[in-house]
Amino acid sequence: MPWRKLGRIFEPGGGFGFIRSYAQVPTALVFSDRIRVYFATRPRPGLSLPTFVDLDRNDISKIISVCDRPILNLGAPGTFDADGVMPSCAIRHGDRILLYYSGWCKLGGAAPYNNATGVAASDDGGTTFTRLFQGPILDRSPEEPWSATSPTVIHDGARWHMWYSSGTAWVEIDGKFEHEYILKHATSEDGIAWARSAKGVVPLLHPHESQTRPTILRDDAGWRMWFSFRGSHGFRTSGETYRLGHARSSNLIDWTRCDLEAGIDVSSEGWDSQMICYPDVIVLDRHAVMFFNGNNFGTTGFGAAVLEPD
């Protein structure tokens, strides 16, 4: 089933207050009258903060409003999110909305940063969020020493599931250290304390492939996953730039990679002609809708697509 692109929905910059550049990692939440899309913007180079736009539920190409302030500020000095906050998954739990996010902490060595996963909660309908903890709920560990970030979370009955990006190395390429990572799985009884699996979720196409930002959809045949993958050479504007991979599962544990079923790729020209990445799939009135970034990791904004039936 192919995705029908609806074009670019939101482009940052120009008249949106602190939203100077980037609308990175679109993270959607369905309301009765609107679709709220959280994303990370950069009020200045090197600083990511989360905010959102509201889209008309009946016409998601129509922007209702733009939040021109951060919904969650940086963490305290020295914490895992002191230098950047990027949303990754918004989920309802009881009367609250939980926001799972990636925190950034800059380093002074060869590797420029490390990442971990935090969680914040909203009691005002998803307009502002407060950290549940100053520290991460998923951090580097003895088995995962580099990073644990960019999660998607679902609550399937009594168990919570998380798929996230786990760092595997920093490799030096053309005099610059680049991060590599794969997808892993964790489970929880409360959405806070997580038990991790040691193995990767989907096989790599080659040893230096990186995988991140998965999104999960249930259909009649089981479960489907879309995710971002790239190489480690020339991946910023050309060469091994991000594309969307695809996998299937019947039990949320074992996944079969089948990228040809992703149903979406870069466009022949325009804002998403070099790169497509960071997908987020929601179900809207029985139709699957994907929000995604294009060129340069979201500098050009985010777009949307609708899954077409066979």
Side-chain angles (χ1 to χ4, degrees):
M1 294 184 288
W3 293 89
R4 176 172 56 87
K5 290 184 178 181
L6 303 179
R8 179 165 47 189
I9 303 300
F10 178 75
E11 183 178 5
F16 298 123
F18 87 116
I19 305 174
R20 302 292 177 80
S21 66
Y22 284 85
Q24 196 169 10
V25 197
T27 301
L29 189 64
V30 179
F31 289 80
S32 60
D33 63 339
R34 64 192 62 203
I35 308 300
R36 179 159 292 174
V37 182
Y38 301 100
F39 59 88
T41 191
R42 300 191 187 185
R44 66 174 188 267
L47 172 63
S48 291
L49 288 169
T51 189
F52 65 84
V53 298
D54 283 337
L55 309 177
D56 188 330
R57 180 175 175 139
N58 297 314
D59 180 4
I60 62 173
S61 66
K62 180 181 178 181
I63 296 173
I64 297 175
S65 62
V66 179
C67 180
D68 61 357
R69 64 188 184 280
I71 58 169
L72 182 66
N73 287 314
L74 297 176
T79 57
F80 78 103
D81 54 356
D83 298 309
V85 175
M86 302 180 76
S88 191
C89 180
I91 184 172
R92 288 185 172 87
H93 184 53
D95 295 331
R96 293 181 131 185
I97 294 172
L98 298 180
L99 182 69
Y100 292 88
Y101 68 91
S102 303
W104 292 70
C105 182
K106 295 179 182 177
L107 302 175
Y113 61 83
N114 61 43
N115 296 124
T117 294
V119 63
S122 174
D123 296 309
D124 63 1
T127 302
T128 60
F129 288 82
T130 302
R131 285 172 179 77
L132 296 185
F133 312 95
Q134 287 201 34
I137 59 167
L138 201 72
D139 199 358
R140 297 174 299 167
S141 71
E143 293 78 23
E144 296 179 276
W146 287 281
S147 62
T149 190
S150 302
T152 191
V153 176
I154 65 171
H155 190 197
D156 184 39
R159 176 172 285 193
W160 297 67
H161 292 265
M162 176 192 287
W163 293 267
Y164 65 99
S165 186
S166 173
T168 56
W170 281 92
V171 296
E172 187 173 4
I173 298 174
D174 298 329
K176 181 181 177 64
F177 279 87
E178 307 288 6
H179 200 18
E180 295 182 344
Y181 31 82
I182 63 173
L183 296 181
K184 286 194 174 182
H185 177 239
T187 57
S188 174
E189 295 183 358
D190 59 6
I192 302 298
W194 295 90
R196 314 184 203 196
S197 173
K199 66 177 183 178
V201 173
V202 295
L204 298 172
L205 297 180
H206 55 81
H208 292 292
E209 179 184 81
S210 290
Q211 306 164 341
T212 191
R213 216 308 168 81
T215 184
I216 308 292
L217 174 70
R218 189 170 196 168
D219 66 10
D220 294 338
W223 298 89
R224 304 182 68 181
M225 174 193 293
W226 287 264
F227 59 94
S228 303
F229 72 94
R230 62 161 175 81
S232 294
H233 293 80
F235 61 85
R236 287 180 170 81
T237 58
S238 62
E240 300 177 344
T241 57
Y242 273 123
R243 296 294 188 272
L244 297 192
H246 180 267
R248 286 190 175 272
S249 175
S250 61
N251 59 8
L252 293 176
I253 306 298
D254 304 301
W255 293 84
T256 299
R257 185 168 184 170
C258 42
D259 288 355
L260 292 178
E261 296 183 29
I264 190 168
D265 202 348
V266 295
S267 297
S268 58
E269 59 182 9
W271 74 279
D272 62 345
S273 60
Q274 298 173 343
M275 179 184 300
I276 185 170
C277 55
Y278 310 139
D280 187 36
V281 175
I282 60 169
V283 176
L284 179 62
D285 301 325
R286 294 180 295 179
H287 297 285
V289 177
M290 177 189 291
F291 295 94
F292 61 92
N293 284 132
N295 301 346
N296 199 25
F297 314 100
T299 301
T300 54
F302 68 81
V306 177
L307 190 62
E308 299 280 19
D310 286 331

